[in-house]
Amino acid sequence: MFYAIKSACKCTLTALGEEPGTPIKIDYLNSFSVSSESEQLTARANGADAIIMDGSRKISFTMDSEVLTNEQMAMMVGGTLEGTKITVKDSIPTKYYSMEGIFTVVNSDGTEEVKKMTFKKIKPQANGEFGMSALEISSFSLTCDAMADEGGVIYEIDKNVGGVGA
């Protein structure tokens, strides 16, 4: 059975490390996209490609919205959030999170199903850009890089069993 994706991910980020704190909800996305790249090494015989080996994998994902929270803004600009104040310094904080996102799909038989995407370890990129305009609604993008856990798992997608729907 095949399916079409009906909704963007509703995400929950949980800080890894010392004290995780309150999970960050980003459940208002207009789009969510995952990209995957891998390095390839090519061995040639008589000058022609003969063997191609895949090397390391790089996974990142981007969350796009027209609304945001202070937590998301702080991640976008590589700053820290204390209370309501976002502070951006010359050094970028290194903070890792795990991310769980749910999204709805429509199966080829017409039934809907909620799936869960779980990233084991992510880090927001501090390369974000945001603009302000009195003429149109601003849009915001937060891109995160994903890393493997101790077992080599970067992310998983499965049915959202026993969870809340998307």
Side-chain angles (χ1 to χ4, degrees), residues 70-106:
N70 282 337
E71 290 88 359
Q72 183 182 352
M73 175 64 84
M75 285 186 245
M76 282 175 48
V77 298
T80 57
L81 175 65
E82 291 184 32
T84 59
K85 181 168 72 172
I86 298 170
T87 303
V88 178
K89 296 184 178 179
D90 59 351
S91 63
I92 300 169
T94 302
K95 192 160 190 176
Y96 297 110
Y97 301 86
S98 64
M99 194 282 288
E100 188 173 279
I102 57 173
F103 59 98
T104 303
V105 301
V106 178

Side-chain angles (χ1 to χ4, degrees), residues 31-160:
S31 67
F32 181 94
S33 61
V34 179
S35 66
S36 177
E37 299 176 28
S38 67
E39 295 176 356
Q40 289 191 330
L41 304 172
T42 305
R44 292 179 290 270
N46 294 323
D49 292 352
I51 299 171
I52 298 174
M53 297 173 282
D54 285 311
S56 64
R57 179 186 308 265
K58 180 180 178 179
I59 304 283
S60 61
F61 62 89
T62 302
M63 299 179 271
D64 295 310
S65 64
E66 291 179 353
V67 298
L68 76 162
T69 61
N70 282 337
E71 290 88 359
Q72 183 182 352
M73 175 64 84
M75 285 186 245
M76 282 175 48
V77 298
T80 57
L81 175 65
E82 291 184 32
T84 59
K85 181 168 72 172
I86 298 170
T87 303
V88 178
K89 296 184 178 179
D90 59 351
S91 63
I92 300 169
T94 302
K95 192 160 190 176
Y96 297 110
Y97 301 86
S98 64
M99 194 282 288
E100 188 173 279
I102 57 173
F103 59 98
T104 303
V105 301
V106 178
N107 294 312
S108 57
D109 65 2
T111 60
E112 288 191 4
E113 181 180 327
V114 177
K115 293 194 174 279
K116 178 169 52 174
M117 178 181 284
T118 306
F119 286 86
K120 307 300 183 172
K121 182 180 178 183
I122 64 167
K123 181 178 184 321
Q125 292 181 5
N127 300 329
E129 177 182 328
F130 69 95
M132 297 174 217
S133 172
L135 302 175
E136 57 189 33
I137 300 292
S138 299
S139 60
F140 307 98
S141 291
L142 174 61
T143 301
C144 296
D145 294 315
M147 294 153 273
D149 66 4
E150 299 79 24
V153 176
I154 299 174
Y155 73 97
E156 299 173 316
I157 301 173
D158 200 359
K159 278 186 169 183
N160 186 35

